[in-house]
Amino acid sequence: LFSENPLLLIALARAEVLQGERGRAKSDARDALLWLSVVAGPLGIPAEEWEATRRSLKEYARRIANPGEKEPPETETRSKNDFAGSAACLPCPETVCQSWRQTGMAKMLRPSEGTRLLADFTRVLEFRDRAGNVEARIGGERKPYFEFWIAGAGWRRYPVDYAIGSKWQQAYATSLRDGRLFVFPLQYNAMSGQWLNYWQTIDPPSSSRARVSHFPDLTEATSYQRNCAVCHTSQLRLTEPGNTSMEHAAFREPGINCEMCHGASAGHVAEMRSGKAFQRGAAEPPFRFGSLDHVEATLICGQCHRQSVLRNLGGGGEMNFTPESPFFTRLPARTSAQFSPRAVYKDGRFRETTFIGEAFMRSTCFLRGTAQCASCHNPHPANAESNPVSFRFQQDPDRMCLQCHAGIAEQVSTHTRQAVKSQGSRCAACHMPPIMNALGFRAASHQLSDIPRADFVAESAWSRARAPA
């Protein structure tokens, strides 16, 4: 079930060697090498001890996977580069940058003034607790606001200073004088056209922040910088020496800018402006995803799209970036065994869309092929408004699979046993069932099942319907 466990994979590879199954042993050893590079050590083992163990395990796995091949030295490049900011990228290539500005990543966090708000604030809405008492009000035709009833003090108003998200759901935050942002519990879901208590949707029943009347407490549980900013803003860092409270982190730009994906590029910008000729490798910023190793490219997207990643502060207080090569953080991740059983179905597949990167990294397309996120998605499509999931081939989604599995295109009905034009012959219908919980809808599983199992999908649907709130 937990395929990213390198200890289990190495033990399995050793058993397969003893049984003479060299092909399977090599395959499992290669997988172990991958996971030893991207997952953190087991709980309870000191970092120094795990590092020594990891090196030993990699050498053992390499002997099985590639007999006679020596392990290449693990070198660390320490060249540095500055960040230029997205404005420096706008002139070239203009079409790509203009497309990026219309995407959900660019609009992940924006000042409310001048931003298209999904919710209607022109009329006052009241929200009541279970006893029927009004505990919050939303309104503000000129300046949107949230108001909360405080016993003994009356109504307290908080302005809506920022909007979070722009596609399926939009959250709102207020800014304090000291720069801290706090996210309101009530969010607007565009899919249903309704307000919902987001914290109540994702938190256990005992959650304090899920109680709307508790928002004026302004606890760290509703802090934007602490809970959201690491994946919703660019170049986030602690700016006060000695103050490690994430609530006081500052970001260079709201939303996800060019350099969060393509690396620190001030050097590249300076060269372009000077007219100098230059040659850059695939691993030098700005990264060209088509030229990157598919593992590295996927890890860049995984900085935000892998719920299991662990983060450590950089030497300068950096929280979601690094000024040193390779200019993106190779974040280690916890294995699935360390997560609550609620995160996965009984068959081991991930239940929540926040684990979409982990699901994809389990797929055969990734493990045995060279597929990366950009194989199917274009993060800055020309039609961002009408293509919210950023498909590369929006009008022919099967092409995302057939670009590699070309032979199936000639024998679709033989492969699917369904009519060619039917829904049953769509690749995603079988291999990517919509079983992952998202913002009011079911997202497609990115584990990309090799052989579809209807009983697994049925079991996932059954356990999803009975999952604890």
Side-chain angles (χ1 to χ4, degrees):
L1 292 180
F2 302 115
S3 58
E4 69 274 15
N5 187 330
L7 303 180
L8 178 61
L9 287 167
I10 289 176
L12 184 59
R14 176 176 171 77
E16 289 164 342
V17 168
L18 296 176
Q19 293 177 2
E21 298 181 358
R22 298 292 304 185
R24 291 186 176 182
K26 285 186 175 183
S27 178
D28 287 328
R30 291 192 188 106
D31 288 350
L33 286 170
L34 166 66
W35 299 120
L36 282 168
S37 299
V38 300
V39 301
L43 293 175
I45 297 182
E48 298 80 6
E49 183 178 336
W50 168 246
E51 181 58 25
T53 302
R54 185 183 71 87
R55 290 176 183 270
S56 177
L57 291 172
K58 287 185 71 174
E59 176 59 30
Y60 180 77
R62 192 175 298 279
R63 289 203 301 268
I64 296 176
N66 306 298
E69 180 181 306
K70 293 185 178 180
E71 180 178 4
E74 294 188 5
T75 58
E76 287 287 343
T77 306
R78 291 298 180 186
S79 60
K80 292 189 176 183
N81 201 350
D82 291 327
F83 288 81
S86 58
C89 303
L90 291 177
C92 178
E94 184 176 0
T95 55
V96 172
C97 291
Q98 293 299 336
S99 298
W100 160 78
R101 296 179 77 174
Q102 304 306 314
T103 65
M105 289 196 294
K107 299 177 181 179
M108 193 60 70
L109 176 74
R110 292 174 295 169
S112 59
E113 187 173 352
T115 293
R116 183 176 70 89
L117 303 182
L118 298 183
D120 181 7
F121 286 89
T122 60
R123 58 191 182 93
V124 177
L125 298 177
E126 295 182 340
F127 293 87
R128 300 176 182 271
D129 59 20
R130 292 182 178 180
N133 300 312
V134 178
E135 58 181 349
R137 297 190 301 210
I138 298 176
E141 185 171 358
R142 293 185 177 180
K143 177 63 177 178
Y145 64 82
F146 280 72
E147 287 183 334
F148 298 88
W149 178 258
I150 301 176
W155 291 100
R156 179 174 296 175
R157 177 174 294 190
Y158 297 88
V160 172
D161 296 311
Y162 285 91
I164 307 167
S166 63
K167 295 190 291 186
W168 296 288
Q169 189 161 304
Q170 196 169 63
Y172 304 98
T174 192
S175 176
L176 304 188
R177 291 182 179 179
D178 60 5
R180 290 182 296 161
L181 275 62
F182 289 88
V183 182
F184 299 112
L186 298 168
Q187 302 184 10
Y188 185 78
N189 185 276
M191 304 287 288
S192 63
Q194 297 178 330
W195 288 91
L196 57 82
N197 185 337
Y198 179 67
W199 303 129
Q200 189 177 63
T201 302
I202 66 172
D203 285 1
S206 59
S207 170
S208 175
R209 68 178 180 177
R211 297 182 62 181
V212 174
S213 60
H214 284 198
F215 176 79
D217 296 339
L218 299 179
T219 67
E220 64 179 23
T222 58
S223 163
Y224 175 83
Q225 282 96 329
R226 183 176 181 84
N227 298 286
C228 314
V230 73
C231 283
H232 284 235
T233 54
S234 300
Q235 291 85 54
L236 183 73
R237 68 186 303 168
L238 298 178
T239 57
E240 300 178 14
N243 187 347
T244 59
S245 172
M246 295 183 184
E247 292 182 42
H248 293 277
F251 46 85
R252 177 168 185 158
E253 291 185 58
I256 307 303
N257 67 9
C258 310
E259 290 168 299
M260 285 300 294
C261 300
H262 293 280
S265 300
H268 165 71
V269 171
E271 289 174 344
M272 294 297 291
R273 287 174 174 171
S274 67
K276 293 180 180 179
F278 64 93
Q279 290 288 334
R280 290 185 177 272
E284 296 179 83
F287 303 133
R288 300 183 302 279
F289 279 68
S291 302
L292 282 175
D293 173 86
H294 77 289
V295 175
E296 298 284 12
T298 302
L299 291 178
I300 291 176
C301 299
Q303 292 176 108
C304 290
H305 292 283
R306 293 170 66 206
Q307 178 74 13
S308 62
V309 296
L310 300 168
R311 299 180 185 274
N312 294 311
L313 287 176
E318 303 91 354
M319 297 177 67
N320 65 354
F321 72 99
T322 173
E324 298 180 340
S325 60
F327 305 110
F328 75 91
T329 49
R330 289 191 178 96
L331 299 171
R334 289 177 284 177
T335 60
S336 302
Q338 298 177 33
F339 279 87
S340 164
R342 292 183 60 193
V344 297
Y345 292 110
K346 293 181 180 179
D347 63 12
R349 288 186 296 177
F350 290 99
R351 183 193 300 272
E352 307 298 330
T353 191
T354 48
F355 291 97
I356 209 161
E358 288 88 345
F360 175 68
M361 291 179 71
R362 284 184 175 181
S363 71
T364 303
C365 300
F366 174 82
L367 291 173
R368 302 288 171 265
T370 58
Q372 56 172 287
C373 306
S375 299
C376 298
H377 297 280
N378 177 0
H380 27 65
N383 58 339
E385 289 292 335
S386 60
N387 186 9
V389 290
S390 301
F391 281 148
R392 284 187 62 193
F393 311 109
Q394 185 184 20
Q395 302 305 318
D396 184 13
D398 285 348
R399 187 179 168 190
M400 290 183 281
C401 299
L402 298 178
Q403 61 183 321
C404 293
H405 303 281
I408 295 176
E410 305 300 324
Q411 48 180 348
V412 173
S413 59
T414 301
H415 176 75
T416 65
R417 302 180 185 179
Q418 304 288 326
V420 174
K421 298 295 184 180
S422 69
Q423 182 63 23
S425 282
R426 304 284 67 76
C427 303
C430 287
H431 297 280
M432 301 180 70
I435 60 171
M436 302 187 84
N437 295 329
L439 294 172
F441 63 97
R442 304 298 177 192
S445 170
H446 279 53
Q447 195 157 321
L448 300 169
S449 307
D450 294 334
I451 302 176
R453 289 281 302 271
D455 55 334
F456 279 6
V457 176
E459 171 65 16
S460 297
W462 183 89
S463 59
R464 180 185 68 222
R466 291 158 178 78

